[in-house]
Amino acid sequence: MSLEVLKDILSECKDKFKYKAESPGLDYWQTPLELEKVKEGDCEDLSVWVISRASAMGIVGSLYLVWGVDFNNQGHSWVEYEDETGKRYWLDPVLQRGPLGIEKWRYIPWMAAKYNGELFSERFVYRAKLEKKLDRDNLDYRPINSI
């Protein structure tokens, strides 16, 4: 059920907002309300909106904002969803991909922050960041202790 709702939220994001990269050296993070007003934003703006929307719709499970690099080694943000069984999925509102099991992605996560319904907390790093591994075929996606 939650995966279908997340797919619907990604579709709603695509219909409502336009992706717009920020100028180099500038990285302003919009709130979901600001994004609703201006109708365009970059990867973290769209990801924060997806997380906020999913939380408001009562998604069961945990939602995380992830920072890392995409398949082109460009800095990127996306959403991680962990269902009540512990299975983890990634969603990319920019590319409209997901929810897919994390083993299907070629992204390298560095850090994430858990959304608790009001704010982002419980930051942690991924093993790939600590080991500085860029071998996409042998990544260990398990999170390390909170930082």
Side-chain angles (χ1 to χ4, degrees):
M1 176 75 157
S2 290
L3 294 180
E4 289 304 315
V5 173
L6 288 168
K7 286 179 187 177
D8 292 343
I9 291 170
L10 276 182
S11 181
E12 181 182 358
C13 183
K14 178 184 178 187
D15 293 342
K16 289 180 89 163
F17 308 115
K18 175 183 170 191
Y19 172 77
K20 183 178 181 186
E22 291 177 320
S23 302
L26 177 68
D27 195 18
Y28 176 76
W29 287 43
Q30 298 180 69
T31 67
L33 291 176
E34 289 172 307
L35 183 62
E36 291 272 352
K37 188 174 184 178
V38 299
K39 304 289 187 205
E40 62 185 23
D42 67 357
C43 56
E44 76 272 348
D45 302 326
L46 300 176
S47 294
V48 167
W49 184 89
V50 166
I51 290 169
S52 175
R53 183 80 170 121
S55 178
M57 293 182 74
I59 291 291
V60 176
S62 299
L63 295 160
Y64 301 85
L65 178 63
V66 182
W67 300 271
V69 293
D70 64 14
F71 45 83
N72 292 319
N73 287 329
Q74 299 295 312
H76 194 49
S77 287
W78 61 94
V79 177
E80 181 172 312
Y81 167 68
E82 183 177 4
D83 70 15
E84 56 278 1
T85 70
K87 182 155 172 125
R88 294 163 43 221
Y89 302 87
W90 283 348
L91 301 88
D92 186 339
V94 174
L95 296 180
Q96 295 295 302
R97 290 185 67 204
L100 296 171
I102 62 174
E103 67 279 355
K104 307 244 188 251
W105 294 71
R106 306 290 285 175
Y107 292 3
I108 298 175
W110 288 342
M111 294 179 33
K114 184 176 183 179
Y115 187 67
N116 71 9
E118 294 180 13
L119 52 90
F120 290 94
S121 61
E122 298 182 47
R123 290 186 316 145
F124 62 86
V125 295
Y126 288 87
R127 192 171 304 277
K129 176 64 173 171
L130 290 180
E131 295 173 1
K132 300 191 182 337
K133 291 171 94 174
L134 293 179
D135 178 1
R136 294 178 194 280
D137 294 322
N138 295 301
L139 278 177
D140 183 346
Y141 288 112
R142 291 174 299 162
I144 306 291
N145 296 333
S146 298
I147 55 173

